[in-house]
Amino acid sequence: MNARLPTHILVSALLQRVNDAGGIAVVRARGDAQAGAILVIDEQQSAVLERGIGPDGGTALISTGPASAADESIDNYWARRRQRDPDLWVVALDIPQAKRFAAETICAD
């Protein structure tokens, strides 16, 4: 039995926490409800984070995305990722400390 919560529940919890704290959280793309990967866009820092496996083997947020705005826009990056992985969830957060909200919500084991 897998103790991991379904992705749609993690995303819903993240949306609720950010919105309750006065921020804005929106789903830009829905992926697989049970096991889709989650890509988080930090609108204030222009950063892209992804839930993945950290160095200790646990769930962690990993910085990803284009190296610079000159290379590729964030929107183009996640659209390209969705072409390869239609199960990918894309969530945009507009709140200070978006990384902390995401880590506390979607990476808690």
Side-chain angles (χ1 to χ4, degrees):
M1 181 173 142
N2 189 352
R4 190 170 170 177
L5 287 172
T7 303
H8 72 98
I9 291 176
L10 293 172
V11 170
S12 293
L14 178 59
L15 296 174
Q16 188 68 47
R17 285 193 68 221
V18 170
N19 289 324
D20 285 351
I24 299 170
V26 296
V27 174
R28 290 196 178 171
R30 293 184 187 277
D32 182 73
Q34 296 301 311
I38 302 173
L39 197 69
V40 177
I41 300 170
D42 179 346
E43 296 285 357
Q44 293 191 357
Q45 298 294 319
S46 295
V48 182
L49 308 161
E50 184 169 9
R51 182 179 69 167
I53 305 299
D56 63 352
T59 306
L61 277 183
I62 301 165
S63 291
T64 187
S68 70
D71 293 340
E72 180 179 27
S73 75
I74 290 174
D75 287 338
N76 287 343
Y77 173 77
W78 73 258
R80 186 171 44 84
R81 288 280 310 272
R82 285 269 305 164
Q83 287 177 344
R84 290 189 310 232
D85 182 6
D87 293 336
L88 179 70
W89 286 76
V90 180
V91 180
L93 306 180
D94 190 356
I95 190 168
Q97 301 181 0
K99 183 175 182 178
R100 179 182 61 85
F101 276 92
E104 290 174 354
T105 308
I106 65 174
C107 292
D109 287 333

